[in-house]
Amino acid sequence: MDQLQYGGKATAPRSKVTIPDLLAMKRKGQRFTMLTAYDAPTARFVEQAGIDVILVGDSVANVVLGHSSTLPVTMDQMVSHAAAVSRGASRPLLVGDMPFGSYQASPADAMRNASRFLKEAGMDAVKLEGGVEVADTVRALTRNGIAVMGHVGLTPQRAAQLGGFKVQAKTADAARALVDAALALEEAGCFSVVLEAVPVQVAALATERLSIPTIGIGAGNVCDGQVLVFHDALGLGMGDFKPKFAKRFAELGPVIVEALREYDAEVRAGTFPADEHSFHMKEGEAAELARGEAATKPRAV
Ligand code: KIV
């Protein structure tokens, strides 16, 4: 029988990754992995690869929505992408990234928006950018039952204030301030902290001083976990900009273009769709259709 098949719910081979699992991995010195995803099929690939944590990053603004910064993405858009991710994967810990403007005005605002990730999108936790200045917000969220991942170093929502996408904490004073910020986030209740674009020595010090896991991106191999943007890791980016830390584990862009060229050529040549891609009537129905057509055809005079 001809059947239409469009994907389906992912099957999770191992048990759900939890926050206590990540804390235990840090204690045991076992590294863990995090990748971004923004839709159901991608989340499914990430889950199938055995990645521990999926971040529905506000980097969706850059790599999916075509913006030049993360600032324009809205809470509604983030909830929609996060809900798609949770339909595609259930085993990894799922973290929704709070977009610019969704948590800065007040802890009450942060609470309202963060709870949307849990209630409407099936996320397990949220992430927000900033150090000491967001500690009260982190405290309010965690006190009310929302698990929070911090993010210090290069915080893209503040790129203008930071003078662009630059390595942070390069001086001893700035390094001490960054470690203090990470400690303040831990004290406020964060279960982990992303360290973005900081020297290896700073990441090493933070990883040693914090009892919660550090997750590095452009922070060397000394962190407890690593994160990359899905599109950077697989060569799916739109522009030529390639951050030094974003190793490409595959170049899928040219593979996709080649496949699409084949589709284009086969349609033009009439070789696609072939018989195996087409639906057919039962013999009797086809014959009756032909008879009916012949009966209604105007006769030649
Ligand atoms: O939005 C994002 O993808 C991120 C990661 C780079 C950590 O915040």
Side-chain angles (χ1 to χ4, degrees), residues 40-214:
T42 306
R44 192 176 191 197
F45 289 136
V46 174
E47 176 176 80
Q48 285 173 348
I51 304 298
D52 300 299
V53 185
I54 292 182
L55 171 68
V56 186
D58 63 353
S59 51
V60 68
N62 304 114
V63 299
V64 174
L65 303 178
H67 294 294
S68 56
S69 82
T70 58
L71 302 188
V73 69
T74 65
M75 194 63 212
D76 282 346
Q77 288 171 317
M78 290 303 299
V79 167
S80 171
H81 284 284
V85 164
S86 72
R87 288 190 287 270
S90 53
R91 190 194 74 85
L93 186 81
L94 302 178
V95 182
D97 207 2
M98 302 284 289
F100 181 68
S102 69
Y103 59 96
Q104 290 90 345
S106 68
D109 234 21
M111 186 63 208
R112 198 165 29 251
N113 286 316
S115 58
R116 290 190 64 193
F117 270 130
L118 276 63
K119 286 163 74 89
E120 299 173 40
M123 296 289 101
D124 301 306
V126 303
K127 174 171 88 59
L128 50 81
E129 295 183 9
V132 180
E133 72 282 5
V134 296
D136 281 343
T137 302
V138 171
R139 219 168 268 119
L141 294 177
T142 52
R143 210 177 24 234
N144 286 299
I146 298 186
V148 183
M149 177 181 282
H151 183 163
V152 294
L154 172 53
T155 44
Q157 292 176 8
R158 284 175 180 262
Q161 281 182 325
L162 300 175
F165 294 86
K166 294 181 174 161
V167 177
Q168 301 296 304
K170 290 204 288 193
T171 64
D173 279 349
R176 273 191 285 272
L178 184 134
V179 175
D180 286 348
L183 284 166
L185 292 173
E186 170 171 336
E187 191 272 327
C190 279
F191 71 90
S192 60
V193 182
V194 170
L195 306 178
E196 178 163 354
V198 298
V200 181
Q201 295 89 336
V202 181
L205 184 61
T207 303
E208 185 201 310
R209 298 278 303 280
L210 267 65
S211 48
I212 55 172
T214 58

